[in-house]
Amino acid sequence: MTTRRDFLRSAAAVVAGAPLLDSPFGPPRNKPLGWALVGLGSLSTNQLAPALQKTTNCRLAGIVTGTPAKAERWKTRYGIPDRSIYNYENMESMADNPDIDVVYVVTPNALHAEHTIKAARAGKHVFCEKPMEISVERCEAMIAACKKAGRRLAIGYRCQYEPLHLECVRLAKEKEFGALTRIEASFGFTIGNPTQWRLNRALAGGGPLMDVGVYTVQTARMLTGQEPLRATARTSLTNPTKFKEVEETMEFELHFPGDVVMRSTTSYNANSNRFTAFAQRGSFGMEPAYNYAGHRGSRSDGKDMRFEPVDAFALEMDDFAQCITTGARSRVSGEEGLKDMKILSALYESARTSGAAVRIS
């Protein structure tokens, strides 16, 4: 089994960063950056706040919520001072709070731009959950706002920090099984509460493609190391009452240079969580692939693919803090999120036109 130390050493080699020196981009490396979580739902409560306790370069310094009762609970649990507790209307007043360096946006998809722009105007760096937003134009506005403010922007693609995903990228890059020929991936679940925001187009921007299908798009881009040339997609529907605003299931293809094709299914009405990369002399992949923990990898030659578990949320936040401090470019920059949004937009356009091929700019 590969140890955490081995993984961190290899990960550092894959994505070499700048030396850990003081820089004009932020506080000295040995001073953890203060993070404020915007939106205190399940992800912030059960994953992000606990992960921040495991980081080296970060600390939980503030919160933004529209629910006073949540603010009180978090204040008590994490010792957050009153001066670092905000609501969505006054979050720009963070500009007067030197304890907060980074804002992590964890609100519904269609609110990401609003909250990112407010944070940038307050002079804070921004880490934003995926998908970056619900349109190319909004993603571009987020990037422009952070550039204007001289702040950094990154997107929460935690799989880019997970050891099995990085091992699969290595296998593809080094052509251990020969050149890639195709990728098959699927991610979906049976969605519950019919009144939740994920089924509201105005807040979600789309259905499972926006929510979990973006993971399979990321997988294909990571494995090929390239951008797709064209996209095709079709949707299917079995429950028009529940899915009256967003798609229920989408099957899609992305065509990459070198005739590599990724075929994927994403759904709110079926459970799946895997990908397989097929190459000239074998295959490799993961199942489950996209959970917060419990990943399993496999190779067609039967060799071991076990790694010591890591908290990818902690790793991605530590990495962003290091990028801010050193001035290194983040591997999950806003531009990375924009690329995915262009692909998602092309897939939705293809689905609207009964599966016609759409070229991706």
Side-chain angles (χ1 to χ4, degrees), residues 29 36 62 64 85 92 95 106 116 127 132 147 168 232 238 261 277 280 285 292 294 303 314 324 332 353:
R29 170 64 176 80
V64 179
I85 298 175
E92 284 186 65
V106 204
T116 292
F127 201 81
M132 185 173 174
K147 285 185 176 179
C168 288
T232 60
T238 64
V261 179
Q280 294 167 319
Y292 295 152
K303 290 184 179 179
I324 291 169
V332 292
T353 55

Side-chain angles (χ1 to χ4, degrees), residues 298-333:
S298 63
R299 302 165 45 127
S300 59
D301 60 8
K303 290 184 179 179
D304 183 49
M305 279 188 72
R306 291 178 299 163
F307 288 80
E308 183 175 290
V310 300
D311 189 323
F313 291 107
L315 289 176
E316 67 180 357
M317 288 188 282
D318 259 343
D319 183 67
F320 188 51
Q322 180 176 318
C323 288
I324 291 169
T325 302
T326 65
R329 180 178 175 83
S330 170
R331 74 185 89 166
V332 292
S333 66

Side-chain angles (χ1 to χ4, degrees), residues 180-185 216 219-221 223-224 256 260-264 275-278:
L180 289 180
T181 56
R182 77 180 192 278
I183 301 164
E184 295 181 359
T216 70
T219 292
R221 292 181 55 231
L223 291 175
T224 62
F256 290 82
V260 179
V261 179
M262 190 271 270
R263 297 184 177 91
S264 181
F275 73 82
T276 304
F278 296 90

Side-chain angles (χ1 to χ4, degrees), residues 20 49 55 68 73 77 90 117 135 147 175 178 181 185 199 219 230 247 255 293 311 328 340 356:
L20 303 180
T55 58
R73 289 197 298 271
R77 181 171 183 180
N90 69 6
I117 292 169
S135 73
K147 285 185 176 179
K175 299 182 179 180
T181 56
L199 299 176
T219 292
R230 63 186 186 278
E247 77 274 7
H255 294 256
D311 189 323
D340 275 346

Side-chain angles (χ1 to χ4, degrees), residues 10 14 163-177 222-223 284 299 303-305 307:
S10 63
V14 171
L164 272 172
H165 284 267
L166 292 179
E167 173 65 3
C168 288
V169 171
R170 185 194 68 79
L171 292 174
K173 183 177 181 179
E174 297 181 5
K175 299 182 179 180
E176 196 158 319
F177 294 93
M222 288 171 66
L223 291 175
F284 53 92
R299 302 165 45 127
K303 290 184 179 179
D304 183 49
M305 279 188 72
F307 288 80

